[in-house]
Amino acid sequence: MSLTHKEPIGKREFIAMMAMIQALQSLGFTTLLPALGVMANDLGASGSNQRQWVIGTFLICSGLFSLVPGTISDRLGRKPVLLVCMGLFALINLLCAFVADFSVLLAARALLGCASSALTVLPMAIIRDRYQGEDMAKLQAFVAMLFMAVPTLAPSLGYVIFTTLGWRAVFIVIGVLSMGVSAWYFYRMEETLPLSRRQSHGARELFGNIRLVLTNRRSIGYVIGMALIFGAHFGFINSSQQLIGEHFGAGGAYSVIFGLMAGSMMLASIANSAIVHRFGTRRLGHAAILCYLIVSVCQVYLASRPGETLLQFVLLMSANMCLLITVFINFTAISLQPFGKLAGAAASVQTFFRLVLGAGLGALIGQAYDGSPLPLAYSLVGVATVTILLVLFSEGGRLFAASVAVRTKG
């Protein structure tokens, strides 16, 4: 069959493709987790917490640059912008395999984070181009379900590659896989933003659109709330190898345990997709954040007492990870609902806050690691409490209201 005459992409392939594109960013840090200690030592890093910056630098720079691809794609279309960023992501990963200094690695990771921003932003905008409301939330749940399969397997994959071929080979595998996904997207996915819906004006107006997104009361509380919840999650990721592998003594079993914990998020995605049409995005999202606070209080209680076991920590942290993905799926659908052809700008602003504020907060939480899970537990309670207040602000003081129709911008 000619490459210029291909069958339109089906819904299942569309879901798988969007999930895999988003998962490439997750691969950019979860695959490296088992190798962080050796990598940092080989490249001359000082201090046990220095290894965390391999992850933190990537996430912070991804967030800082995330305002760019969505707003540009609102003008030029999703496909060319995403293809350029995916190509850079593949190339820089390959270059990371050859660095010889920890500072140079961090600089390369910063560039890699910038390139990776489109991998999160643009799939959300592409999904919003095709769907909205509960339909969007359900499809995003399917995407998240497949997306979560990656961090479930990635640490174990990274561990196998690291122990057999060395940590440099991990970057090469990510780069080669990225090239394969780029080719898949290039040949199979059509442009989802037609010319009639594109922004034709300049940068001043584009950033004016960003201002509209930031000043939308029904959206902004959910956006910042997601950022705080992700901040606590990034704090856990940054220190997870130290917590599970060293504090609780899991050792080489760390990658398997982390994978199982991430796998629980996939189950939560399945459950969300099955019930979102019955209960609505607001009721599910609000219930999830309240349960997140309750579980976090339990974590503080156990962490402040002597003798907390690995099993207790893993069970409670897994529960919070399940609630995290439920919050993310439903909060994303709610916060994008007021925007039509500005979906790219809206997705960019959301990702900007989620990654910049989230990764910055996560770095602080990770650096606060003192050999115990208590700093993390306190942070979970704090972000849950503030997020509930932010949701109340966006909802005018009410929780559990049914989903309502809103007038879209653009």
Side-chain angles (χ1 to χ4, degrees):
M1 184 175 63
S2 170
L3 292 178
T4 60
H5 177 71
K6 56 181 182 292
E7 292 295 325
I9 189 169
K11 188 174 183 179
R12 291 182 180 179
E13 185 181 356
F14 174 73
I15 291 172
M17 182 182 291
M18 294 301 102
M20 196 62 224
I21 292 172
Q22 288 188 329
L24 287 175
Q25 188 188 56
S26 179
L27 278 173
F29 58 92
T30 54
T31 313
L32 299 174
L33 291 174
L36 284 180
V38 173
M39 184 189 307
N41 289 334
D42 286 353
L43 296 178
S46 60
S48 61
N49 283 350
Q50 282 293 102
R51 73 185 82 171
Q52 297 180 13
W53 288 111
V54 176
I55 308 300
T57 300
F58 174 87
L59 293 172
I60 290 172
C61 290
S62 181
L64 287 171
F65 199 74
S66 61
L67 286 175
V68 177
T71 50
I72 293 178
S73 75
D74 281 340
R75 184 176 187 182
L76 301 181
R78 315 298 186 203
K79 191 167 185 176
V81 178
L82 185 52
L83 281 173
V84 169
C85 291
M86 290 174 74
L88 289 173
F89 184 79
L91 176 62
I92 298 171
N93 264 298
L94 294 174
L95 293 177
C96 283
F98 300 98
V99 301
D101 180 81
F102 190 70
S103 297
V104 176
L105 176 64
L106 292 185
R109 294 287 290 174
L111 293 175
L112 191 62
C114 293
S116 76
S117 61
L119 277 60
T120 297
V121 171
L122 294 188
M124 288 195 298
I126 291 169
I127 292 170
R128 178 61 181 83
D129 288 340
R130 288 185 157 204
Y131 303 91
Q132 57 183 312
E134 269 74 39
D135 288 333
M136 177 186 169
K138 186 171 184 177
L139 188 135
Q140 182 64 45
F142 281 120
V143 170
M145 178 183 67
L146 296 178
F147 167 76
M148 282 301 117
V150 173
T152 300
L153 302 173
S156 296
L157 173 64
Y159 181 77
V160 170
I161 298 171
F162 158 60
T163 54
T164 56
L165 300 174
W167 60 264
R168 295 179 187 275
V170 178
F171 287 110
I172 295 175
V173 170
I174 298 172
V176 172
L177 180 60
S178 301
M179 289 189 289
V181 176
S182 300
W184 181 23
Y185 176 72
F186 175 75
Y187 286 116
R188 291 293 297 144
M189 189 65 196
E190 73 279 3
E191 175 59 60
T192 59
L193 187 66
L195 290 172
S196 61
R197 293 179 54 207
R198 294 186 190 181
Q199 300 285 305
S200 59
H201 31 65
R204 182 176 180 181
E205 288 79 8
L206 288 175
F207 283 100
N209 290 338
I210 295 173
R211 179 184 60 81
L212 291 176
V213 174
L214 290 175
T215 55
N216 187 290
R217 176 170 177 166
R218 295 191 66 83
S219 174
I220 192 61
Y222 289 97
V223 173
I224 300 178
M226 277 193 291
L228 295 178
I229 294 296
F230 267 86
H233 184 61
F234 290 149
F236 165 65
I237 291 175
N238 285 334
S239 58
S240 62
Q241 193 273 333
Q242 293 162 282
L243 266 170
I244 297 173
E246 297 173 10
H247 173 72
F248 286 109
Y254 156 73
S255 58
V256 176
I257 294 171
F258 184 90
L260 291 173
M261 295 172 72
S264 67
M265 300 170 76
M266 186 166 57
L267 298 177
S269 298
I270 297 172
N272 191 89
S273 65
I275 62 177
V276 66
H277 274 290
R278 179 177 178 183
F279 294 102
T281 53
R282 280 178 166 77
R283 289 171 179 167
L284 283 179
H286 297 171
I289 190 58
L290 289 173
C291 291
Y292 188 100
L293 175 60
I294 294 170
V295 174
S296 300
V297 170
C298 293
Q299 287 177 282
V300 169
Y301 173 76
L302 287 177
S304 62
R305 296 169 59 86
E308 182 183 13
T309 66
L310 173 62
L311 179 61
Q312 289 172 330
F313 175 81
V314 167
L315 289 177
L316 286 177
M317 197 66 217
S318 297
N320 261 351
M321 291 168 75
C322 289
L323 294 165
L324 163 76
I325 198 63
T326 305
V327 167
F328 170 68
I329 292 169
N330 293 287
F331 278 25
T332 297
I334 295 168
S335 58
L336 282 178
Q337 192 173 355
F339 308 101
K341 65 183 179 183
L342 301 183
S348 288
V349 172
Q350 287 189 20
T351 305
F352 176 84
F353 276 97
R354 192 171 73 244
L355 290 181
V356 174
L357 179 57
L361 178 60
L364 292 175
I365 294 171
Q367 291 297 309
Y369 174 71
D370 60 358
S372 80
L374 198 54
L376 174 64
Y378 280 130
S379 72
L380 295 173
V381 171
V383 300
T385 302
V386 175
T387 298
I388 291 170
L389 295 176
L390 288 167
V391 170
L392 286 170
F393 168 78
S394 280
E395 294 293 336
R398 294 181 59 199
L399 293 180
F400 299 106
S403 298
V404 295
V406 295
R407 182 169 58 88
T408 60
K409 296 182 183 293

